[in-house]
Every structure is written in C-alpha cells, then in structure tokens.
C-alpha cells in the first residue's frame, strides 16, 4: 500500500486533476465515430474513479479529518489552498453520483449529437469539484468560470435555433454575474487584505465602522451573484428556458449547477458573514429567507402553468432551491443540516426527472414533450411507476427522502419568527408540486389519443437509458434507508461549519499571519527580525 | 482645484460601467457584447485599484521600503485572461445565433415581426 500512502495526501487536488486530465485526453482522442466507444469508456472509468475518490474523502471527513492541501506547499493565506471538510466531501460525492448515471445516459446516443461532449462534461466536473474544494474566494471565481465555460458549450450541444437563442441570454447573464462577482471579491480584498476563507472568517469580525459598510455591500453583491447561480427570486428568470432548451443529460447535470450557488452562499454568507461576523454579522439574513420562500412559491406556480415537460421540471428545480435556501436562511446548525440533506436528495430526483421526461417524450410521437394528449407511450407501466416515485419524492410524501428532508426543515424552523410562513410555503409547495406532477402524469399516461398509437416509438427506451434513470431514482430513494447515518453526517457537517477556530487552525496552521498595507519593510539594523512586514515572499 | 487620483480613477470606472450597463440593455447582441466588454474593463481597473493607488512604490520586493500590493495584479491578470476567453466565446455564439435565426436581435426575432 505504499503506492496509496504516496497518493493519499494529494487526494483533494486529484478531485480536480482527474477530470482535467481526462478532459484533455478526451480532446486528444477526439470523437470520431470509431473512437466514440473508447471515449465513452474513458469518461465512465474516470467518473467511477472520481466517485470512489469522493467517497474516500467523505469517509475520512466523517471521521472528523479536515484535509488541507497547500498547492506547491505555499503557506496558507498566500498560496492556493484546497480544503475538504464534511460539506465539501458531501458535495463531491453528490457531483459524481449525479455525473455517473448522466454520463451513462448520454452514452445512449446524446453524445454523438455534437462534438467533444465527453471532454466538456469532464471540464464541467473539474469546475464543479474545484468550486467545492477550494479554500479561497478568488479560486471559487476561477472554478465558477471553468464550469460556466463548459456549460455554455454543453447548453448548445445538439444545436438548433432555440438552444442558440437561450444560449446568448445564458452567457450574457452569467458574464454580468461574473463581473459582479469580481467587484464583490475585490471589495472584500480591499477591506480585509485576504481572500482565504479561513483567514476571512478571522478578519471580518474585526472590521468596524465605515469599512464594515463596504464589507456589507460586498457581501450583498456576492449574494446577488450566488442568487443568479442558485436561481433565487428575482434572479431565476433565465433558468426555465435554459434548462428546458438543453438536451436531457445536460439539463440533468445542470441540476448540480444551482447547488454551486447554494454552496457558495453557505460558505460566504453562512460562515464568513455568519453569526460571528462582528459588525457585518448575518448581513444576508433579512434577505435570504423571504426571497427563498418567494422563490419556492412562485416557482411552483410556474410548474403548474408549464406547457412542456422539461419546463415543468425546470420550475421544480427552482422550487427545490427555494426550499434549500429557506432552510439556510434560518441560520442554525439544525436548519443547515436539513438543507444539506434535502439538497442531496432533490438534486438526485431533479436529475432523474430531467432524464425521465425525455424518455417519456420520445415515445409520444408528435406530441413530444408538450403537455397535451398525445400518442400512448410504449412502456406505460415502467415509465409511469418511475414518474410516480419521482413525483412522490419531489413532493415530499412519506416515507420517501423528500418527506424526511422537509420534515427536518420544518422541525428546524420551530421557534423562528417566520415559522408560520415557512410551514405554509413548504407544505403548500409540496402539495402543488404533487398537483403539477399528477396533472402531467395523467395527461401523459391516461389522457392519451389511442388513434395515434403507433406514431410514437414502439420499441420503448433502450435498457441503458432506463437503467441510468433508475439508478438516479434509486440513489434518491436510498437516502431514506440511509437517513440515519446521513443525518448524523449532515449534523456534523453543519456543526463543523460553525467551528471557525478549528477551521482556521487547520488551514492557517495557527492564528494566521498579520498583513498590513502598504507592505513596509524597515531595514533591520543588523540581522534583526524583518519587523511586521510579513509578506510571505521567500 | 485639487482633484485626488482616487476621485479620477473612481469616476472613470463609474463612467465606463455606466456605458457598459447602457449598452448591455440594448436589444441587439452586438451592443450587448460591447457592453459586457466595457464592464469587464471597468471591473479589471476596479480590482487593480483595490490594492490602493500608490505612487513610487515598488511592484516587487527590492531595495525600497514601500512595496505595492502584488496580489491585485495577479488577480487582475487572471480576470483579464478569463474575460478575454469568454468575450471571444460570446462573440462566436452571437454570430452563430445570428446565422440560425437570421437576426441580430437577442430574442431571435425582429421587433414587430
């Protein structure tokens, strides 16, 4: 096992390097018809390896280990650090657990509809994993850009007028958000002199007076940016058209992208600007909860009014994000734990729904994904049961994990001022989700036009596609069986987030280094210490 | 009249940003791309200025006593590279969208059509 002990300290950076190198290899191999099978195998092998890696990191994190990786061994506030705590490890596992079935599904034919599909998926995974392990804000921006650039191209995969039209909108809004991200990050740097998350958590509480106002403005600018990514009210308007236009496997993978926004809100507004943030403490609190509840409520009405299946699922994505953000907005460890549990489950179910609705639509002849009576599907029992399971879980019916997640959210809200509102919104959103999906289901499977029978695909979906979709659904439902260990994990993850001292100790290796501006280096008279100008340059 | 360097730089950034926002709200993709580019420029100068504006400070440690903050320079370099790549991409995408829909209008159809 000497080989493993050699690799073991480098596991955090491998989560980023593995998809990066796989992507480069896949670009070199290309995807001509005879090499597509090879490309598929390499991509699947890489993601399987990535999943094992993420599971290993999660098991280690579960034991309480905070893995800190200093790239190039530069000391912490100056160099690039990657940090894997319980939350990061959970997000890594979730990313790979969604990516693996999605990749399998795409190997069923979607990957041949355009060029470099597998390479782009790997670049997207690189960005996702990087965003989840990075320990400083600027690298969060860089990895955001990596995953966004990959997503721009993936969105137009398969091409067509509609995809290019929403593609321009999607790219424009994300570029504007990136500009805001940079402004927020630059303001934070201007006030605190650091972008390292652990260092920031130490320094933000010390900022007072006028500078605290600048810092608050920066935090709220970042809330806007992450709100765009997470699709929070009123910044979600880009999402339904974009996700509905994307090809099914891409939309399923995009279910992860909203979670990057959620994750960033936890890190920045939950931890750095959390309860211990001094003058800038809880700067997002007045905004997060009302906006999140509004997001959930409006999105579910969008789902009820949706005219096509992908649009319905896209609105359900937003509704679930609203529930997660509402739970984050309670700013307690119990609520954060609930948010993590519900996030993991809803991501799996939403991804499964995106794949499932394409399976259904492909068997309905000319009606396709439109919500109107069409040709009866070839596999009504199989697809109908799958939709029933997904719908019940998305709506939160017991004993499915959606129910457990929402129950945790409701429990965590007890005693909060807005408890009544949270109960009303979460419960009625659950009910309306069920209504929306029941309406879709009865249209798809019962209100068919038998005279059109035979105009759809008679053969039914290939077993590969069905297997990939079922794998995602089973992953979601398995969270009921594993609810107890998972809840203990998310509880510990939420508690770990509030422990700033341990985080700073792990990342900075001490109290942190004091930097001042301008960096004055008084020349020592004779061999004395270099004074307080500890700039870190060797 | 004594105008500080900070005031001049801040007004410049503000003016360029305002122009960028105005262009970004246009209905055709070419002005939108130009607007995004202008905002990108303004943001880059903004990051650079966040290391504070010094005169006569050294960029890297040498013999002098005062050293300018090197980190914003590194940050802005990264931001410029990323901004350049995304601008290239969005131009290509807008062109392709133009070819697909036959119009430069961002929602894919001429007003009134």
């Amino acid at each position: 096992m000497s080989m493993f002990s050699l690799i073991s300290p480098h596991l955090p950076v491998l989560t980023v390097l593995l998809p990066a190198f796989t992507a480069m290899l896949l670009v070199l191999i290309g995807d001509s018809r005879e090499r597509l099978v090879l490309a598929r195998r390499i991509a699947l092998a890489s993601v399987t390896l990535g999943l094992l890696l993420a599971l290993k990191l999660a098991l280690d994190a579960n034991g309480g280990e905070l893995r800190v990786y200093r790239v190039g061994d530069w000391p912490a506030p100056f160099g690039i650090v990657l940090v894997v705590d319980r939350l990061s490890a959970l997000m890594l596992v979730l990313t790979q657990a969604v990516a693996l079935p999605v990749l399998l599904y795409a190997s069923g034919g979607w990957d041949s509809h355009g060029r470099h599909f597998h390479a782009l998926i790997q670049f997207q995974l690189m960005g996702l994993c990087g965003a989840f392990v990075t320990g400083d804000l600027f690298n969060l921006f860089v990895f955001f850009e990596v995953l966004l650039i990959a997503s721009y191209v993936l969105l137009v995969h398969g091409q067509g007028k509609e995809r290019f039209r929403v593609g321009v909108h999607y790219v424009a809004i994300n570029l504007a958000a990136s500009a805001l991200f940079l402004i927020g990050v630059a303001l934070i740097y201007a006030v605190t002199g650091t972008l390292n998350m652990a260092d920031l958590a130490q320094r933000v509480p010390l900022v007072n007076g006028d500078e605290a106002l600048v810092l608050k403005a920066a935090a709220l600018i970042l809330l806007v940016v992450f709100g765009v990514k997470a699709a929070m009210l009123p910044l979600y308007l880009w999402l339904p058209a974009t996700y509905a236009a994307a090809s099914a496997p891409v939309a399923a993978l995009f279910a992860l992208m909203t979670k990057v926004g959620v994750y960033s809100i936890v890190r920045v507004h939950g931890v750095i600007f959390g309860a211990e943030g001094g003058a800038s403490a809880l700067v997002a609190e007045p905004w997060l909860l009302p906006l999140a509840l509004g997001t959930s409520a409006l999105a579910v009405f969008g789902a009820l009014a949706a005219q096509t299946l992908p649009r319905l699922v896209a609105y359900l994505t937003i509704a679930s994000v609203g529930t997660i953000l509402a739970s984050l907005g309670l700013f307690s460890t119990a609520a954060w734990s609930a948010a993590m549990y519900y996030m993991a489950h809803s991501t799996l179910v939403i991804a499964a729904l995106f794949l499932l609705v394409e399976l259904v639509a492909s068997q309905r002849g000319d009606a396709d994904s439109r919500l109107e009576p069409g040709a009866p599907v070839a596999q009504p029992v199989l697809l109908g049961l799958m939709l029933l399971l997904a719908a019940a879980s998305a709506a939160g019916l017991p004993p499915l994990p959606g129910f457990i997640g929402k129950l945790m959210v409701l429990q965590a809200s007890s005693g909060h001022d807005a408890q009544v509102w949270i109960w009303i919104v979460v419960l009625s959103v659950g009910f309306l989700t069920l209504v929306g999906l029941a309406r879709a289901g009865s249209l798809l499977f019962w209100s068919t036009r038998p005279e059109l029978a035979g105009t759809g695909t008679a053969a039914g979906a290939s077993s590969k596609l069905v297997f990939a979709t079922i794998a995602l659904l089973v992953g979601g439902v398995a969270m009921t069986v594993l609810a107890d260990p998972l809840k203990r994990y998310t509880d510990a993850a939420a508690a770990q987030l509030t422990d700033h001292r341990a985080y700073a100790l792990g990342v900075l290796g001490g109290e942190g280094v004091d930097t001042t501006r301008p960096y004055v280096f008084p020349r020592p008279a004779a061999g004395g210490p270099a004074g307080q100008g500890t700039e870190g340059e060797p | 009249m004594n105008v500080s360097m900070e005031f001049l730089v801040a007004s410049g950034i503000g003016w360029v940003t305002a122009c960028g926002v105005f262009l970004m709200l246009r209905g055709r993709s070419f002005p939108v791309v130009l607007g995004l580019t202008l905002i990108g420029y303004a943001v880059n100068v903004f990051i650079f200025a966040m290391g504070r504006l010094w005169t006569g400070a050294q960029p890297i440690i040498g013999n002098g006593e005062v050293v300018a903050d090197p980190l914003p320079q590194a940050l802005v370099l990264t931001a410029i590279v990323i901004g350049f790549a995304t601008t290239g991409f969005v131009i290509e995408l807008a062109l392709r969208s133009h070819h697909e829909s036959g119009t430069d209008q961002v929602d894919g159809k001429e007003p009134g059509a």
Side-chain angles (χ1 to χ4, degrees):
Chain A
M1 291 303 282
S2 67
M3 181 67 189
F4 188 75
S5 61
L6 202 65
I7 296 177
S8 182
H10 301 287
L11 286 184
V13 79
L14 278 181
T15 59
V16 183
L17 292 183
L18 177 70
F21 282 114
T22 311
M24 290 176 213
L25 183 66
L26 287 170
V27 170
L28 289 178
I29 288 176
D31 45 9
S32 56
R33 204 154 282 283
E34 59 271 23
R35 287 191 174 175
L36 189 58
V37 176
L38 178 65
R40 281 174 186 169
R41 283 186 188 149
I42 292 176
L44 278 171
S46 167
V47 174
T48 310
L49 202 58
L51 181 60
L52 293 177
L53 201 67
L55 283 172
K56 161 79 179 143
L57 284 172
L59 283 177
D60 286 357
N62 195 27
E65 185 184 353
L66 182 73
R67 267 176 191 268
V68 179
Y69 187 83
R70 295 182 179 84
V71 180
D73 219 9
W74 284 80
F78 306 112
I80 293 171
V81 279
L82 306 177
V83 188
V84 182
D85 60 359
R86 288 190 180 90
L87 174 61
S88 296
L90 175 72
M91 299 308 294
L92 287 175
V93 172
L94 183 62
T95 305
Q96 306 286 6
V98 171
L100 189 58
V102 164
L103 215 53
L104 199 64
Y105 187 96
S107 300
W110 262 112
D111 56 355
S112 60
H113 290 206
R115 301 207 55 205
H116 297 305
F117 180 84
H118 288 293
L120 287 164
I121 291 269
Q122 295 294 327
F123 276 125
Q124 167 113 54
L125 288 178
M126 173 197 166
L128 285 167
C129 292
F132 292 141
V133 296
T134 182
D136 76 77
L137 279 183
F138 196 76
N139 281 308
L140 186 66
F141 165 77
V142 172
F143 284 118
F144 259 69
E145 289 304 306
V146 172
L147 73 92
L148 283 174
I149 291 172
S151 79
Y152 299 155
V153 191
L154 279 174
L155 173 61
V156 295
H157 177 80
Q159 315 211 344
K161 189 175 159 185
E162 176 64 10
R163 290 199 181 117
F164 281 108
R165 190 181 69 85
V166 298
V168 173
H169 300 182
Y170 176 70
V171 176
I173 194 162
N174 275 302
L175 287 185
S178 297
L180 277 181
F181 197 159
L182 283 174
I183 291 176
V185 163
L187 279 175
I188 288 181
Y189 181 79
V191 176
T192 61
T194 183
L195 289 175
N196 183 296
M197 290 182 192
D199 207 13
L200 274 174
Q202 303 283 302
R203 286 172 186 233
V204 164
L206 306 177
V207 179
N208 287 310
D210 288 350
E211 294 214 309
L213 292 178
V214 178
L215 208 52
K216 280 185 190 175
L220 290 176
I221 287 176
L222 288 183
L223 186 65
V224 173
V225 177
F226 301 147
V228 171
K229 315 284 174 194
M232 184 171 72
L233 183 82
L235 305 164
Y236 70 74
L237 299 170
W238 59 272
L239 191 143
T242 309
Y243 281 32
S247 54
V250 172
L253 197 66
F254 279 12
L256 283 168
M257 294 222 306
T258 50
K259 309 309 180 289
V260 185
V262 172
Y263 170 86
S264 310
I265 289 179
V266 177
R267 284 274 180 227
V268 174
H269 302 95
V271 177
I272 296 174
F273 294 96
E276 298 167 33
S280 342
L282 297 176
V283 63
E285 197 186 22
W287 300 94
L288 200 52
L289 188 60
L291 288 179
L293 292 177
T295 310
S296 228
L298 276 181
V300 83
F301 285 119
L304 287 178
Q307 300 289 320
T308 66
L309 281 167
R311 212 168 247 273
L312 172 74
V313 183
Y315 272 112
L316 291 182
T317 314
I318 306 173
S320 72
V321 166
T323 309
I324 300 165
L325 289 177
S327 191
L328 291 182
L330 294 173
F331 285 96
S332 71
T333 49
W336 284 359
S337 167
M340 287 178 213
Y341 184 89
Y342 187 72
M343 171 163 64
H345 158 259
S346 71
T347 311
L348 289 167
V349 169
I350 295 287
L353 270 172
F354 271 119
L355 299 183
L356 181 59
V357 296
E358 199 212 33
L359 285 182
V360 175
S362 67
Q363 298 184 4
R364 298 182 67 224
D366 292 337
D368 198 37
S369 64
R370 285 192 303 281
L371 279 169
E372 61 189 27
V377 297
Q379 298 165 297
V381 177
L382 176 68
L383 297 183
L385 283 177
M386 281 159 75
L387 184 64
L388 180 69
L389 190 62
S393 201
L397 294 188
L400 294 164
F403 168 74
I404 301 175
K406 286 190 175 174
L407 190 66
M408 283 164 75
V409 175
L410 294 181
Q411 269 183 345
S413 75
S414 78
H416 194 275
D417 292 341
Q419 188 186 5
V420 181
W421 289 106
I422 294 166
W423 278 64
I424 292 174
V425 171
V426 169
L427 291 178
S428 47
V429 163
F431 173 69
L432 291 175
T433 304
L434 198 61
V435 171
L437 283 167
R439 161 178 159 259
S442 57
L443 254 172
L444 295 175
F445 296 105
W446 292 337
S447 171
T448 53
R449 293 164 61 191
E451 74 273 14
L452 290 177
T455 59
T457 320
S462 87
S463 55
K464 199 178 196 176
L465 302 186
V466 174
F467 174 75
T469 316
I470 290 182
L472 269 175
L473 272 179
V474 167
V477 174
M479 287 185 63
T480 297
V481 186
L482 298 174
D484 182 45
L486 275 174
K487 184 176 181 304
R488 261 184 279 136
Y489 184 91
T490 55
D491 281 346
Q496 192 178 29
L497 285 176
T498 54
D499 191 355
H500 293 193
R501 279 192 60 81
Y503 191 72
L505 210 64
V507 175
L508 305 173
E511 291 296 302
V513 194
D514 191 34
T515 53
T516 48
R517 233 177 343 222
Y519 301 117
V520 183
F521 291 83
R523 297 288 142 189
Q532 63 161 4
T534 46
E535 222 296 67
E537 299 280 347
Chain B
M1 195 174 74
N2 186 15
V3 180
S4 72
M5 184 160 66
E6 280 79 6
F7 178 79
L8 277 179
V9 172
S11 327
I13 294 172
W15 176 245
V16 175
T17 310
C19 294
V21 170
F22 175 79
L23 284 173
M24 207 174 65
L25 298 175
R26 303 282 85 194
R28 294 188 178 273
S29 47
F30 183 65
V32 170
V33 173
L34 277 187
L36 287 169
T37 316
L38 276 187
I39 290 178
Y41 291 155
V43 167
N44 288 342
V45 181
F46 184 82
I47 299 174
F48 198 70
M50 282 305 110
R52 305 291 194 276
L53 301 170
W54 306 107
T55 45
Q58 295 191 355
I60 47 174
I61 298 175
N63 297 323
E65 292 215 330
V66 178
V67 182
D69 193 344
L71 198 67
Q73 303 170 18
L75 299 186
V76 83
L77 201 61
T78 315
I80 289 171
V81 172
I82 291 176
F84 180 71
T86 47
T87 308
F89 180 78
V90 73
I91 289 173
E92 183 61 32
L93 189 68
L95 274 175
R96 183 62 194 269
S97 180
H98 189 168
H99 286 303
E100 294 276 339
S101 62
T103 165
D104 191 29
Q105 202 71 19
V106 285
D107 53 4
K109 51 179 185 282
E110 287 294 324

